[in-house]
Amino acid sequence: MTDRTNSRANEARELEGHLGHLDTFTGTALGVLAVASGIYTYLGVSTLLDGDGAMQSFAAIAYSTAVSVGIFVFWSYMMRLLPAMRTTRARFGLFGAMGLGCLAIVAMSSWLNAAALAGAAAVEQHMAETVQDYQGSLERSHEIAITAQALERDVARTRQSFEDLSEQEAAGALSGLAGRGAVFRVLRQKAAELSALEQQIAAQSEQVEAAFTTGNELLSRMRALTVEPGPVEGRSVEFSELAVRLAGIITQLRQLSVAPLVQRAAQDLSASVVLPELDGATEDNRVAQGATIDSVLQVLQQRAETLDRAASEVIAMPPPAETTYTPVSAAEAVILYARNFIPSWAGAIAIDLLPAVLVLILAVTQGAIRASKEGTPIEDRMTVAEMRAALQAARAVDMTLDPPEPPARQGPPAQAATPDEVPRVHEVPTPARKA
């Protein structure tokens, strides 16, 4: 039992010696971490402040200095107080305070550190994703416009059918009356309307292709800006200008779609028919012309419905997504695309919260020291220095409680006798010498 007690006492003394050695440079290390975090915080906060000049630099320095001081003081408190707590309630209370402090540090420093580490790359990521969005919108707008241009074939087929019918009427194959009478004029009237619509659709084909080509050129330049060397702020300004132009091109492509035009023309095709006067020589001829015109109107209605369905299908196609480029700062981009910059976030948070590991190490070590000292006699836990101090304290207590007795008082020193006071010595008679 004595050997085990001595072993635990030796373990506690060894741990205390290690802590004493580590304490000599722990404050310096904590200061270095706080200063490093302050530097990266300065770089991050500089991207958020407007303007350029001494005031901006002063504000950034003031903020980063406050962050460094706050981090140093906070972790100094935790390193000193948390390991010294002996009750569970006190420990959990300080652990809660440490959690709130960690959240505050992340909010005021870590995200700015991440902005300094990966802010430019995050802005480039934002630009690259914007290019993809614009490319999707451009291609979708072009697809809708091209599909609408394909309605030209439906219009041409309908026009051709009316022209063929008019030729048949001219030969007398429809109403039985050869020539260019009322039926012929109705057919030619609708053929002319469809021909004008066909020409209008064909005229927009070149505009659609020109707009799509211009949009692709703008996209190519925007892609180049995402990877060009140099400060990302300047590239972001040019990127914004190109994005505005590209948005205009996409809007133009959407307006060049002829589907609404074809739909309106199809609705007017059967609704606006100018019926000519029947010019048959006899009543039978006029009856035949009327019956033929009714048949033509029915065919016209069918062709109009076919064109209307084709145009409605194009109009019903999902439109391109609304895409707008919003310039963001480096700090905002790091938050928006945090999933793409996990290593940078980990490094930014680690430099601020690494002292938390040191606090836990100190708490565990102090707990082990206290556990080793429990049940160990005090004489086994005392070092030589502590023994000397205890002896000196005991002597001081003894001196206070039982002071030493003062030495006995002695009489005044004897004075030298004067010659008159010297006692006379009786002289002894000397015997006479014999002769």
Side-chain angles (χ1 to χ4, degrees), residues 126-208:
H126 179 61
M127 294 165 63
E129 294 202 3
T130 302
V131 168
Q132 294 179 358
D133 294 340
Y134 273 113
Q135 182 176 1
S137 297
L138 179 65
E139 292 178 352
R140 184 61 179 170
S141 299
H142 182 252
E143 179 185 359
I144 294 174
I146 290 298
T147 304
Q149 290 299 122
L151 294 174
E152 180 184 358
R153 293 191 295 270
D154 296 331
V155 174
R157 186 167 56 252
T158 304
R159 174 190 56 79
Q160 187 62 44
S161 66
F162 283 118
E163 288 181 352
D164 293 342
L165 289 175
S166 66
E167 295 297 331
Q168 294 177 15
E169 173 62 17
L174 295 181
S175 63
L177 301 174
R180 300 187 176 186
V183 177
F184 179 85
R185 291 195 297 272
V186 170
L187 292 173
R188 281 296 182 177
Q189 173 189 350
K190 294 305 172 182
E193 292 179 5
L194 293 173
S195 179
L197 178 61
E198 184 181 358
Q199 293 176 2
Q200 188 174 0
I201 294 174
Q204 290 189 350
S205 296
E206 294 183 359
Q207 299 180 24
V208 170

Side-chain angles (χ1 to χ4, degrees), residues 283-359:
E283 184 65 26
D284 293 338
N285 291 341
R286 289 192 291 272
V287 170
Q289 285 180 335
T292 303
I293 289 177
D294 291 338
S295 300
V296 169
L297 292 178
Q298 293 178 2
V299 173
L300 191 63
Q301 180 68 30
Q302 294 174 357
R303 297 292 190 272
E305 291 177 356
T306 302
L307 283 177
D308 183 68
R309 284 195 300 270
S312 298
E313 290 177 359
V314 176
I315 295 175
M317 293 177 66
E322 293 290 339
T323 303
T324 303
Y325 173 67
T326 303
V328 295
S329 64
E332 295 170 336
V334 167
I335 295 176
L336 289 175
Y337 303 98
R339 64 185 182 277
N340 297 327
F341 300 97
I342 294 178
S344 299
W345 270 97
I349 294 176
I351 197 174
D352 288 334
L353 303 187
L354 179 61
V357 181
L358 303 181
V359 172

